[in-house]
Amino acid sequence: MHAASAPTPAPAQGTLVTSSAPDLGARDPGGQRLAGVVTMFGSGLSNQTGAAIGSLAFPVLGPIGVVAVRQYVAAIVLMAVGRPRLRTFTKEQWWPVLLLALVFGTMNLSLYSAIDRIGLGLAVTLEFLGPLSIALAASRRRVDACCALIAAAGVVTLMRPQPSTDYLGMGLGLLAAVCWASYILLNRTVGRRVPGVQGSAAAAGVSALMFLPVGIVLVAHRPPTAGAVACALVAGVLSSAVPYLADLLTLRRVPARVFGLFMSVNPVLAAVVGWIVLGQNLGRAEAAAITAIVAANAISILTSRT
């Protein structure tokens, strides 16, 4: 959910592990691994809690208003960390950055719109299909084919026809999944063409500029309440700033494989946070579907050789 966070999916930043993890692990492998696990859990919990708190501002700001504020916060944090030298970017560097900015904004907007319609747990679970699909599609192992079937069964269960089924909400969740998959692939391209995190920072800045008119229109036509703005700002900090900085530290302490495995816990955290903070209860079928999708990712990672 990471899916909806700052640019930190494991496949996009796995290269950070190779340069720093061995040195840290040599000092105190057990302590570094434990610190990494604690940080990952805190990052995931922060991400999902931020999304839940942000949804409290939907009645005033709407999903698009909350996402706009979140994009502003993400841009401030990433621009400060990455410090991109925009004037030095070439045409070959700019086009994937601009596409990444577009996908970044669309991913968060579709996810928050899905949360508004179908709840936090189901929305995050559907979005999680994006990175899971990339991981399974790149493999030729039989076990991954079985994992794909397990995940597909979970999706079918989630989207089974019912009188109360919100197909638009489901569609928005799947759109978020497509965006997250595209986001990972574009992040790889940007990472190869732009040094450090300058590309991700530039994309966050451009995405924030894209949402700037949204903020102006909201303030001009329907001045938001202080409470709604506070919820949106908290969402930006907890779902963008904290996960991004936490994941940078995590990837220096644990292998990318462990990071990817722990990422699969996010749909579970989203369901728990949605239940506690928002009172969103899941039925047995939905809970089973989330478990199946999470299990598919866990099995695939645990049985991999790298």
Side-chain angles (χ1 to χ4, degrees), residues 24-62:
L24 291 170
R27 299 174 190 170
D28 183 8
Q32 293 294 338
R33 185 66 60 86
L34 177 60
V37 170
V38 172
T39 304
M40 284 188 292
F41 181 82
S43 174
L45 186 60
S46 174
N47 193 4
Q48 305 311 329
T49 302
I53 293 175
S55 69
L56 298 176
F58 286 171
V60 177
L61 298 177

Side-chain angles (χ1 to χ4, degrees), residues 53 56-57 60-61 224-234:
I53 293 175
L56 298 176
V60 177
L61 298 177
T225 63
V229 173
C231 287
L233 287 173
V234 170

Side-chain angles (χ1 to χ4, degrees), residues 158-236:
L158 286 178
M159 304 190 69
R160 70 195 188 283
Q162 295 184 94
S164 60
T165 299
D166 189 327
Y167 290 106
L168 178 57
M170 294 285 187
L172 289 168
L174 293 177
L175 175 59
V178 172
C179 288
W180 195 359
S182 303
Y183 182 83
I184 292 172
L185 298 176
L186 282 169
N187 242 331
R188 291 175 178 173
T189 301
V190 170
R192 288 192 298 265
R193 299 187 183 186
V194 184
V197 294
Q198 291 188 53
S200 296
V206 172
S207 183
L209 288 176
M210 292 168 54
F211 278 87
L212 187 58
V214 175
I216 295 175
V217 170
L218 284 175
V219 172
H221 289 80
R222 188 179 179 183
T225 63
V229 173
C231 287
L233 287 173
V234 170

Side-chain angles (χ1 to χ4, degrees), residues 270-303:
V272 173
V273 171
W275 171 55
I276 295 175
V277 178
L278 304 175
Q280 297 173 345
N281 296 317
L282 295 175
R284 293 182 180 178
E286 286 76 14
I290 292 176
T291 301
I293 293 172
V294 169
N297 184 73
I299 293 171
S300 177
I301 294 177
L302 288 174
T303 58

